Amino acid sequence: RKDQIMLDNFYDNKTLLVSGCTGFVGKVMLEKLLTTFPKIKKIFILVRARSDASVVERFQKDILESPCFNRLRQRQGTEFHNFVFSKVVPVHGDLLKDKLGVNPETYKLLEEEVQVIINSAASVDFL
């Protein structure tokens, strides 16, 4: 219980930058952060856009529709999307590029607001 209180206090009103949320580990981690630490101020998630989907479309389809969000979906009910979008900000970027591949305005915003960075991104090549 003492560890949970310490973590609650650590994440209280913090802004995070999380990468790798389209992968399995990243999805589970994002759900756990949202479920366990509802007092997190904001979570920027770095997402690469694809030619067939914008960053927000990828966030909704590849992340939010994942079964790992069922517990949070049940807990929040009809407020699920409002809760998630009040906390999570998908950002177009790429870890392989300079300054995360984000535009200069977004990079400045991240510099000013982010207090915690969690990297769960991986370079995966299925041969």
Side-chain angles (χ1 to χ4, degrees):
R1 181 73 185 134
K2 185 179 177 183
D3 291 342
Q4 182 63 43
I5 292 169
M6 287 175 52
L7 286 170
D8 287 340
N9 290 337
F10 177 79
Y11 283 111
D12 188 20
N13 205 37
K14 291 284 194 316
T15 297
L16 287 68
L17 172 64
V18 180
S19 65
C21 287
T22 57
F24 177 74
V25 172
K27 287 177 199 173
V28 173
M29 183 179 46
L30 179 62
E31 187 278 340
K32 186 71 171 169
L33 287 168
L34 291 169
T35 300
T36 308
F37 307 110
K39 291 184 180 179
I40 284 176
K41 181 178 180 180
K42 189 185 308 180
I43 303 173
F44 290 101
I45 62 166
L46 201 62
V47 180
R48 284 186 307 218
R50 292 192 312 224
S51 59
D52 63 338
S54 71
V55 169
V56 173
E57 289 170 334
R58 274 198 83 190
F59 173 60
Q60 289 183 315
K61 185 176 185 327
D62 296 348
I63 299 171
L64 287 187
E65 291 180 13
S66 169
C68 75
F69 283 88
N70 288 346
R71 176 176 61 158
L72 184 61
R73 199 174 287 108
Q74 270 187 322
R75 184 179 288 176
Q76 293 295 326
T78 59
E79 290 299 309
F80 173 72
H81 278 91
N82 289 336
F83 173 75
V84 170
F85 279 99
S86 74
K87 301 282 184 183
V88 180
V89 179
V91 173
H92 177 265
D94 187 336
L95 286 178
L96 297 177
K97 295 185 178 176
D98 189 44
K99 294 192 175 186
L100 308 175
V102 300
N103 65 48
E105 296 81 22
T106 301
Y107 192 81
K108 183 170 175 34
L109 179 69
L110 295 175
E111 278 186 320
E112 292 170 355
E113 292 192 20
V114 171
Q115 297 145 312
V116 179
I117 299 172
I118 300 173
N119 178 22
S120 68
S123 179
V124 180
D125 186 9
F126 296 104
L127 295 178

Coordinates of all heavy atoms in Angstrom, one line a residue, residues 28-108:
V28 N -0.9 -1.9 -23.1 CA -1.1 -2.4 -21.8 C -0.6 -1.3 -20.8 O -1.3 -1.0 -19.8 CB -0.4 -3.7 -21.5 CG1 -0.5 -4.1 -20.1 CG2 -1.1 -4.8 -22.4
M29 N 0.6 -0.7 -21.0 CA 1.1 0.3 -20.1 C 0.2 1.5 -20.1 O -0.1 2.1 -19.0 CB 2.5 0.7 -20.6 CG 3.2 1.7 -19.6 SD 4.8 2.1 -20.1 CE 4.7 2.4 -21.8
L30 N -0.2 2.0 -21.3 CA -1.1 3.1 -21.3 C -2.4 2.9 -20.6 O -2.8 3.7 -19.8 CB -1.4 3.5 -22.8 CG -2.3 4.7 -23.0 CD1 -1.7 6.0 -22.4 CD2 -2.7 4.9 -24.4
E31 N -3.0 1.7 -20.8 CA -4.2 1.4 -20.0 C -4.0 1.4 -18.5 O -4.8 1.9 -17.7 CB -4.8 0.0 -20.5 CG -6.1 -0.3 -19.9 CD -6.1 -0.9 -18.5 OE1 -5.1 -1.4 -18.1 OE2 -7.2 -0.9 -17.9
K32 N -2.9 0.8 -18.1 CA -2.5 0.7 -16.7 C -2.3 2.1 -16.1 O -2.8 2.4 -15.0 CB -1.3 -0.1 -16.5 CG -0.9 -0.4 -15.1 CD -1.9 -1.3 -14.5 CE -1.4 -1.7 -13.1 NZ -2.4 -2.4 -12.3
L33 N -1.6 3.0 -16.8 CA -1.4 4.4 -16.4 C -2.8 5.1 -16.2 O -3.0 5.7 -15.2 CB -0.6 5.2 -17.4 CG 0.9 4.8 -17.4 CD1 1.6 5.5 -18.6 CD2 1.6 5.3 -16.1
L34 N -3.7 4.9 -17.2 CA -5.0 5.6 -17.1 C -5.9 5.0 -16.0 O -6.6 5.8 -15.4 CB -5.7 5.5 -18.5 CG -5.1 6.3 -19.6 CD1 -5.7 6.0 -20.9 CD2 -5.2 7.8 -19.3
T35 N -5.8 3.7 -15.8 CA -6.6 3.1 -14.8 C -6.1 3.3 -13.4 O -6.9 3.6 -12.5 CB -6.7 1.6 -15.1 OG1 -7.2 1.4 -16.4 CG2 -7.6 0.8 -14.1
T36 N -4.8 3.2 -13.2 CA -4.2 3.2 -11.9 C -4.0 4.6 -11.4 O -4.0 4.9 -10.2 CB -2.9 2.4 -11.9 OG1 -3.2 1.1 -12.4 CG2 -2.4 2.2 -10.5
F37 N -3.7 5.5 -12.3 CA -3.3 6.9 -11.9 C -4.2 7.9 -12.6 O -3.8 8.7 -13.5 CB -1.8 7.2 -12.2 CG -0.9 6.1 -11.7 CD1 -0.3 5.3 -12.5 CD2 -0.7 6.0 -10.3 CE1 0.6 4.3 -12.0 CE2 0.2 5.1 -9.8 CZ 0.8 4.2 -10.7
P38 N -5.5 8.0 -12.2 CA -6.4 8.9 -12.9 C -6.1 10.4 -12.7 O -6.6 11.3 -13.3 CB -7.8 8.6 -12.3 CG -7.4 7.9 -11.0 CD -6.1 7.3 -11.1
K39 N -5.2 10.7 -11.7 CA -4.8 12.1 -11.5 C -3.6 12.6 -12.4 O -3.1 13.7 -12.2 CB -4.5 12.3 -10.0 CG -5.7 12.2 -9.1 CD -5.3 12.5 -7.7 CE -6.5 12.4 -6.8 NZ -6.2 12.6 -5.4
I40 N -3.2 11.7 -13.3 CA -2.2 12.1 -14.3 C -2.8 13.3 -15.0 O -4.0 13.2 -15.4 CB -1.8 11.0 -15.2 CG1 -0.9 10.0 -14.5 CG2 -1.2 11.5 -16.5 CD1 -0.5 8.8 -15.4
K41 N -2.1 14.3 -15.2 CA -2.6 15.5 -15.9 C -2.8 15.3 -17.4 O -3.9 15.5 -17.9 CB -1.6 16.7 -15.7 CG -2.1 18.0 -16.3 CD -1.1 19.1 -16.0 CE -1.5 20.4 -16.6 NZ -0.6 21.5 -16.3
K42 N -1.7 14.8 -18.1 CA -1.8 14.6 -19.5 C -0.8 13.5 -19.9 O 0.3 13.4 -19.3 CB -1.5 15.9 -20.2 CG -1.7 15.9 -21.7 CD -1.3 17.2 -22.3 CE -1.9 18.4 -21.7 NZ -1.5 19.7 -22.3
I43 N -1.1 12.8 -21.0 CA -0.2 11.8 -21.6 C -0.1 12.1 -23.1 O -1.0 11.9 -23.8 CB -0.6 10.4 -21.3 CG1 -0.8 10.1 -19.8 CG2 0.4 9.4 -22.0 CD1 -1.4 8.7 -19.6
F44 N 1.1 12.6 -23.5 CA 1.3 12.7 -24.9 C 1.8 11.4 -25.4 O 2.7 10.8 -24.7 CB 2.4 13.8 -25.2 CG 2.0 15.2 -25.0 CD1 2.5 15.8 -23.8 CD2 1.3 15.9 -25.9 CE1 2.1 17.1 -23.6 CE2 1.0 17.2 -25.7 CZ 1.4 17.8 -24.5
I45 N 1.2 10.9 -26.5 CA 1.7 9.6 -27.0 C 2.2 9.9 -28.4 O 1.6 10.5 -29.2 CB 0.6 8.5 -27.0 CG1 -0.6 8.8 -27.8 CG2 0.2 8.1 -25.6 CD1 -1.5 7.6 -28.1
L46 N 3.4 9.4 -28.7 CA 4.1 9.5 -29.9 C 3.6 8.4 -30.9 O 3.8 7.3 -30.5 CB 5.6 9.5 -29.8 CG 6.4 10.1 -30.8 CD1 6.2 11.6 -30.9 CD2 7.9 9.9 -30.5
V47 N 3.0 8.8 -32.0 CA 2.5 7.8 -32.9 C 2.9 8.2 -34.3 O 2.8 9.3 -34.7 CB 0.9 7.8 -32.9 CG1 0.3 6.8 -33.8 CG2 0.4 7.6 -31.5
R48 N 3.4 7.2 -35.1 CA 3.7 7.4 -36.5 C 2.4 7.3 -37.3 O 1.6 6.3 -37.1 CB 4.7 6.4 -37.0 CG 6.1 6.6 -36.6 CD 7.0 5.6 -37.2 NE 6.6 4.3 -37.0 CZ 7.3 3.2 -36.8 NH1 8.6 3.4 -36.8 NH2 6.8 2.0 -36.6
A49 N 2.2 8.3 -38.1 CA 1.0 8.2 -39.1 C 1.4 7.2 -40.1 O 2.5 6.9 -40.4 CB 0.7 9.5 -39.7
R50 N 0.3 6.6 -40.7 CA 0.5 5.7 -41.9 C -0.2 6.4 -43.1 O -1.0 7.3 -42.9 CB -0.1 4.4 -41.6 CG 0.6 3.6 -40.5 CD 0.2 2.1 -40.5 NE -1.2 2.0 -40.4 CZ -1.9 1.2 -39.6 NH1 -1.2 0.4 -38.8 NH2 -3.2 1.1 -39.7
S51 N 0.1 5.9 -44.2 CA -0.5 6.5 -45.4 C -2.0 6.2 -45.4 O -2.8 7.0 -46.0 CB 0.1 5.8 -46.7 OG -0.1 4.4 -46.7
D52 N -2.5 5.2 -44.7 CA -3.9 4.9 -44.7 C -4.6 5.4 -43.5 O -5.8 5.2 -43.3 CB -4.2 3.4 -44.9 CG -3.6 2.6 -43.8 OD1 -2.7 3.1 -43.1 OD2 -4.0 1.5 -43.5
A53 N -3.9 6.0 -42.5 CA -4.6 6.5 -41.3 C -3.8 7.6 -40.6 O -2.6 7.6 -40.6 CB -4.7 5.3 -40.3
S54 N -4.5 8.6 -40.2 CA -3.9 9.7 -39.4 C -3.5 9.2 -38.0 O -3.9 8.1 -37.6 CB -4.9 10.9 -39.3 OG -6.0 10.5 -38.4
V55 N -2.8 10.1 -37.3 CA -2.4 9.7 -36.0 C -3.6 9.5 -35.1 O -3.7 8.5 -34.3 CB -1.5 10.8 -35.4 CG1 -1.3 10.7 -33.9 CG2 -0.2 10.9 -36.1
V56 N -4.6 10.3 -35.1 CA -5.8 10.2 -34.3 C -6.6 8.9 -34.7 O -7.1 8.1 -33.9 CB -6.8 11.4 -34.4 CG1 -8.1 11.2 -33.7 CG2 -6.0 12.6 -33.8
E57 N -6.7 8.6 -36.0 CA -7.3 7.4 -36.5 C -6.6 6.2 -36.0 O -7.2 5.2 -35.5 CB -7.4 7.3 -38.0 CG -8.4 8.3 -38.6 CD -8.3 8.5 -40.1 OE1 -7.2 8.2 -40.7 OE2 -9.3 8.8 -40.7
R58 N -5.3 6.2 -36.0 CA -4.5 5.1 -35.5 C -4.7 4.9 -34.0 O -4.8 3.8 -33.5 CB -3.0 5.3 -35.8 CG -2.5 4.8 -37.1 CD -1.0 4.6 -37.2 NE -0.6 3.3 -36.6 CZ 0.6 2.9 -36.4 NH1 1.6 3.8 -36.6 NH2 0.9 1.8 -35.9
F59 N -4.7 6.0 -33.3 CA -4.9 6.0 -31.9 C -6.2 5.3 -31.5 O -6.3 4.4 -30.7 CB -4.9 7.4 -31.3 CG -5.2 7.5 -29.8 CD1 -4.5 6.8 -28.9 CD2 -6.3 8.2 -29.4 CE1 -4.9 6.9 -27.5 CE2 -6.7 8.3 -28.1 CZ -5.9 7.6 -27.1
Q60 N -7.3 5.7 -32.2 CA -8.6 5.1 -32.0 C -8.7 3.7 -32.4 O -9.1 2.8 -31.6 CB -9.7 6.0 -32.7 CG -9.9 7.3 -32.0 CD -11.0 8.1 -32.7 OE1 -11.1 8.2 -33.9 NE2 -11.8 8.7 -31.9
K61 N -8.2 3.4 -33.6 CA -8.3 2.0 -34.1 C -7.3 1.0 -33.5 O -7.7 0.0 -33.0 CB -8.2 2.0 -35.6 CG -8.5 0.7 -36.3 CD -8.4 0.8 -37.8 CE -8.8 -0.3 -38.6 NZ -8.5 -1.6 -38.2
D62 N -6.1 1.4 -33.5 CA -5.0 0.5 -33.1 C -4.8 0.4 -31.6 O -4.3 -0.6 -31.1 CB -3.7 0.8 -33.7 CG -3.7 0.7 -35.3 OD1 -4.6 0.1 -35.8 OD2 -2.8 1.2 -35.9
I63 N -5.2 1.5 -30.9 CA -5.0 1.5 -29.4 C -6.3 1.4 -28.7 O -6.5 0.4 -27.9 CB -4.2 2.8 -29.0 CG1 -2.8 2.8 -29.7 CG2 -4.0 2.8 -27.5 CD1 -2.1 4.1 -29.6
L64 N -7.2 2.4 -28.8 CA -8.4 2.4 -28.0 C -9.3 1.2 -28.2 O -10.0 0.8 -27.3 CB -9.2 3.7 -28.2 CG -8.6 4.9 -27.6 CD1 -9.5 6.1 -27.7 CD2 -8.2 4.7 -26.1
E65 N -9.4 0.6 -29.4 CA -10.2 -0.5 -29.7 C -9.7 -1.8 -29.2 O -10.3 -2.8 -29.3 CB -10.6 -0.6 -31.2 CG -11.5 0.6 -31.6 CD -11.8 0.5 -33.1 OE1 -11.6 -0.5 -33.8 OE2 -12.3 1.5 -33.6
S66 N -8.5 -1.8 -28.7 CA -7.8 -3.0 -28.2 C -8.6 -3.5 -27.0 O -9.1 -2.8 -26.1 CB -6.4 -2.7 -27.7 OG -5.8 -3.7 -27.0
P67 N -8.7 -4.9 -26.9 CA -9.4 -5.5 -25.7 C -8.7 -5.1 -24.4 O -9.4 -5.2 -23.3 CB -9.2 -7.0 -26.0 CG -9.0 -7.1 -27.4 CD -8.3 -5.9 -27.9
C68 N -7.5 -4.7 -24.4 CA -6.8 -4.4 -23.1 C -7.5 -3.2 -22.4 O -7.3 -2.9 -21.3 CB -5.3 -4.2 -23.2 SG -4.7 -2.8 -24.0
F69 N -8.3 -2.4 -23.2 CA -9.0 -1.2 -22.6 C -10.4 -1.6 -22.1 O -11.1 -0.7 -21.7 CB -9.0 -0.1 -23.7 CG -7.7 0.6 -23.8 CD1 -6.7 0.2 -24.7 CD2 -7.4 1.7 -23.0 CE1 -5.5 0.9 -24.8 CE2 -6.2 2.4 -23.1 CZ -5.3 1.9 -24.0
N70 N -10.7 -2.9 -22.2 CA -12.1 -3.3 -21.7 C -12.4 -2.9 -20.3 O -13.5 -2.4 -20.0 CB -12.3 -4.7 -22.0 CG -12.5 -5.1 -23.4 OD1 -12.7 -4.2 -24.3 ND2 -12.4 -6.4 -23.8
R71 N -11.4 -3.1 -19.4 CA -11.6 -2.8 -18.0 C -11.8 -1.3 -17.8 O -12.8 -0.9 -17.1 CB -10.4 -3.2 -17.2 CG -10.4 -2.8 -15.7 CD -9.2 -3.3 -15.0 NE -8.0 -2.8 -15.5 CZ -6.9 -2.8 -14.8 NH1 -6.8 -3.3 -13.6 NH2 -5.8 -2.3 -15.3
L72 N -11.0 -0.4 -18.5 CA -11.2 1.0 -18.4 C -12.5 1.4 -19.1 O -13.2 2.3 -18.6 CB -10.0 1.7 -19.0 CG -10.0 3.3 -18.9 CD1 -10.0 3.7 -17.5 CD2 -8.8 3.8 -19.7
R73 N -12.9 0.8 -20.2 CA -14.1 1.1 -20.9 C -15.3 0.8 -20.0 O -16.2 1.5 -19.9 CB -14.2 0.2 -22.2 CG -15.1 0.7 -23.2 CD -15.0 -0.1 -24.5 NE -13.8 0.2 -25.3 CZ -12.8 -0.6 -25.4 NH1 -12.8 -1.8 -24.9 NH2 -11.7 -0.2 -26.1
Q74 N -15.2 -0.4 -19.3 CA -16.3 -0.7 -18.3 C -16.4 0.3 -17.2 O -17.5 0.7 -16.8 CB -16.1 -2.1 -17.7 CG -16.7 -3.2 -18.5 CD -16.6 -4.6 -17.8 OE1 -15.5 -4.8 -17.2 NE2 -17.6 -5.4 -17.9
R75 N -15.2 0.6 -16.6 CA -15.2 1.5 -15.5 C -15.7 2.9 -15.8 O -16.5 3.5 -15.1 CB -13.8 1.6 -15.0 CG -13.6 2.5 -13.7 CD -12.2 2.5 -13.2 NE -11.9 1.2 -12.6 CZ -10.7 0.9 -12.2 NH1 -9.7 1.8 -12.3 NH2 -10.4 -0.2 -11.7
Q76 N -15.4 3.4 -17.0 CA -15.8 4.7 -17.4 C -17.2 4.8 -18.1 O -17.8 5.9 -18.2 CB -14.7 5.3 -18.4 CG -13.4 5.6 -17.7 CD -13.5 6.7 -16.6 OE1 -14.2 7.6 -16.7 NE2 -12.7 6.5 -15.6
G77 N -17.6 3.6 -18.6 CA -18.9 3.6 -19.2 C -19.0 4.5 -20.4 O -18.1 4.6 -21.2
T78 N -20.1 5.3 -20.5 CA -20.3 6.2 -21.6 C -19.3 7.4 -21.6 O -19.2 8.1 -22.6 CB -21.7 6.8 -21.6 OG1 -21.9 7.5 -20.4 CG2 -22.8 5.7 -21.7
E79 N -18.6 7.6 -20.6 CA -17.6 8.6 -20.5 C -16.2 8.2 -20.9 O -15.2 8.9 -20.8 CB -17.5 9.2 -19.1 CG -18.8 10.0 -18.7 CD -19.0 11.2 -19.6 OE1 -18.1 12.0 -19.8 OE2 -20.1 11.3 -20.1
F80 N -16.1 6.9 -21.4 CA -14.8 6.4 -21.8 C -14.0 7.3 -22.7 O -12.9 7.7 -22.4 CB -14.9 5.0 -22.4 CG -13.7 4.4 -22.9 CD1 -12.7 4.0 -22.1 CD2 -13.5 4.3 -24.3 CE1 -11.5 3.5 -22.6 CE2 -12.3 3.8 -24.8 CZ -11.3 3.4 -24.0
H81 N -14.6 7.7 -23.9 CA -13.8 8.5 -24.8 C -13.5 9.9 -24.3 O -12.4 10.4 -24.5 CB -14.6 8.6 -26.1 CG -14.4 7.4 -27.0 ND1 -15.2 6.3 -27.0 CD2 -13.4 7.1 -27.9 CE1 -14.7 5.4 -27.8 NE2 -13.6 5.9 -28.4
N82 N -14.5 10.5 -23.5 CA -14.3 11.8 -22.9 C -13.1 11.7 -21.9 O -12.2 12.6 -21.9 CB -15.5 12.3 -22.2 CG -16.6 12.7 -23.2 OD1 -16.3 13.0 -24.4 ND2 -17.8 12.7 -22.8
F83 N -13.1 10.7 -21.1 CA -12.0 10.5 -20.1 C -10.7 10.4 -20.8 O -9.7 11.1 -20.5 CB -12.3 9.3 -19.2 CG -11.1 9.0 -18.3 CD1 -10.9 9.8 -17.2 CD2 -10.3 7.9 -18.6 CE1 -9.8 9.5 -16.4 CE2 -9.2 7.7 -17.7 CZ -8.9 8.5 -16.6
V84 N -10.6 9.5 -21.8 CA -9.3 9.2 -22.5 C -8.8 10.5 -23.2 O -7.7 10.9 -23.1 CB -9.5 8.0 -23.5 CG1 -8.2 7.9 -24.4 CG2 -9.7 6.7 -22.7
F85 N -9.7 11.1 -23.9 CA -9.3 12.3 -24.7 C -9.0 13.5 -23.8 O -8.4 14.5 -24.2 CB -10.3 12.6 -25.8 CG -10.0 11.8 -27.0 CD1 -10.8 10.7 -27.3 CD2 -9.0 12.0 -27.9 CE1 -10.6 9.9 -28.4 CE2 -8.8 11.2 -29.0 CZ -9.6 10.1 -29.3
S86 N -9.5 13.5 -22.5 CA -9.2 14.5 -21.6 C -7.8 14.4 -21.1 O -7.2 15.3 -20.5 CB -10.2 14.6 -20.4 OG -10.0 13.5 -19.5
K87 N -7.2 13.1 -21.2 CA -5.9 12.8 -20.7 C -4.8 12.6 -21.8 O -3.7 13.0 -21.6 CB -5.9 11.5 -19.8 CG -6.9 11.6 -18.7 CD -6.3 12.4 -17.5 CE -7.2 12.3 -16.3 NZ -6.6 13.1 -15.2
V88 N -5.2 12.0 -22.9 CA -4.3 11.5 -23.9 C -4.3 12.4 -25.1 O -5.3 12.7 -25.6 CB -4.6 10.0 -24.3 CG1 -3.6 9.6 -25.3 CG2 -4.6 9.1 -23.1
V89 N -3.1 12.8 -25.5 CA -2.9 13.6 -26.7 C -2.0 12.9 -27.7 O -0.8 12.8 -27.5 CB -2.3 15.0 -26.4 CG1 -2.1 15.9 -27.6 CG2 -3.1 15.7 -25.3
P90 N -2.6 12.3 -28.8 CA -1.8 11.7 -29.8 C -0.9 12.7 -30.6 O -1.5 13.8 -31.0 CB -2.8 11.0 -30.7 CG -4.1 11.1 -30.0 CD -4.0 12.2 -29.1
V91 N 0.3 12.5 -30.7 CA 1.2 13.4 -31.4 C 1.9 12.7 -32.6 O 2.5 11.6 -32.4 CB 2.3 13.9 -30.4 CG1 3.3 14.8 -31.1 CG2 1.7 14.7 -29.3
H92 N 1.9 13.3 -33.7 CA 2.6 12.7 -34.9 C 4.1 12.8 -34.7 O 4.6 13.9 -34.5 CB 2.2 13.4 -36.2 CG 2.9 12.8 -37.4 ND1 4.0 13.4 -37.9 CD2 2.6 11.8 -38.2 CE1 4.4 12.8 -38.9 NE2 3.6 11.7 -39.1
G93 N 4.8 11.7 -34.7 CA 6.2 11.7 -34.6 C 6.9 10.4 -34.9 O 6.2 9.5 -35.3
D94 N 8.2 10.4 -34.8 CA 9.0 9.2 -35.2 C 10.3 9.3 -34.4 O 11.1 10.2 -34.5 CB 9.3 9.2 -36.7 CG 9.9 7.9 -37.2 OD1 10.5 7.2 -36.3 OD2 9.8 7.6 -38.4
L95 N 10.5 8.3 -33.5 CA 11.7 8.2 -32.7 C 13.0 8.2 -33.5 O 14.1 8.5 -33.0 CB 11.6 7.1 -31.7 CG 10.7 7.2 -30.6 CD1 10.7 5.9 -29.7 CD2 11.0 8.4 -29.7
L96 N 12.9 7.7 -34.7 CA 14.1 7.6 -35.5 C 14.6 8.9 -36.1 O 15.6 9.0 -36.7 CB 13.9 6.5 -36.6 CG 13.6 5.1 -36.1 CD1 13.3 4.2 -37.3 CD2 14.8 4.6 -35.3
K97 N 13.7 9.9 -36.0 CA 14.0 11.2 -36.6 C 14.5 12.2 -35.5 O 14.2 12.0 -34.3 CB 12.8 11.8 -37.3 CG 12.4 10.9 -38.5 CD 11.3 11.5 -39.3 CE 11.0 10.7 -40.5 NZ 9.8 11.2 -41.2
D98 N 15.2 13.2 -36.0 CA 15.7 14.3 -35.1 C 14.5 14.9 -34.4 O 13.5 15.2 -35.0 CB 16.5 15.3 -35.9 CG 17.2 16.3 -35.0 OD1 17.8 15.9 -34.0 OD2 17.2 17.5 -35.4
K99 N 14.7 15.2 -33.1 CA 13.7 15.9 -32.3 C 12.4 15.2 -32.3 O 11.3 15.8 -32.4 CB 13.6 17.4 -32.6 CG 14.8 18.1 -32.3 CD 14.6 19.6 -32.4 CE 15.9 20.3 -31.9 NZ 15.7 21.7 -31.8
L100 N 12.5 13.8 -32.3 CA 11.3 12.9 -32.3 C 10.4 13.0 -33.6 O 9.3 12.5 -33.6 CB 10.4 13.2 -31.1 CG 11.1 13.2 -29.7 CD1 10.2 13.6 -28.6 CD2 11.7 11.8 -29.5
G101 N 10.9 13.8 -34.6 CA 10.1 13.9 -35.8 C 8.9 14.7 -35.7 O 8.0 14.7 -36.5
V102 N 8.8 15.5 -34.6 CA 7.6 16.4 -34.4 C 7.9 17.8 -34.9 O 9.1 18.1 -35.1 CB 7.2 16.4 -32.9 CG1 6.8 15.1 -32.4 CG2 8.2 17.1 -32.1
N103 N 6.8 18.5 -35.2 CA 7.1 19.9 -35.7 C 7.6 20.8 -34.6 O 7.5 20.4 -33.4 CB 5.8 20.5 -36.3 CG 4.7 20.7 -35.3 OD1 4.9 21.2 -34.2 ND2 3.5 20.2 -35.6
P104 N 8.3 21.9 -34.9 CA 8.9 22.7 -33.9 C 8.0 23.2 -32.8 O 8.4 23.2 -31.6 CB 9.4 23.9 -34.7 CG 9.6 23.4 -36.1 CD 8.5 22.4 -36.3
E105 N 6.7 23.5 -33.1 CA 5.8 24.0 -32.1 C 5.5 22.9 -31.1 O 5.5 23.1 -29.9 CB 4.5 24.5 -32.7 CG 4.6 25.7 -33.6 CD 5.2 25.4 -35.0 OE1 5.0 24.2 -35.5 OE2 5.7 26.3 -35.6
T106 N 5.3 21.7 -31.6 CA 5.0 20.5 -30.7 C 6.2 20.2 -29.9 O 6.1 19.9 -28.7 CB 4.6 19.3 -31.5 OG1 3.4 19.6 -32.3 CG2 4.3 18.1 -30.7
Y107 N 7.4 20.2 -30.5 CA 8.6 20.0 -29.7 C 8.8 20.9 -28.5 O 9.1 20.5 -27.4 CB 9.8 20.0 -30.6 CG 11.1 19.4 -30.0 CD1 11.3 18.1 -29.9 CD2 12.0 20.3 -29.4 CE1 12.4 17.5 -29.3 CE2 13.1 19.8 -28.7 CZ 13.3 18.4 -28.7 OH 14.4 17.9 -28.1
K108 N 8.5 22.2 -28.8 CA 8.6 23.2 -27.7 C 7.6 22.9 -26.6 O 7.9 23.0 -25.4 CB 8.4 24.6 -28.3 CG 8.5 25.7 -27.3 CD 8.6 27.1 -28.0 CE 8.6 28.3 -27.1 NZ 9.3 28.2 -25.9

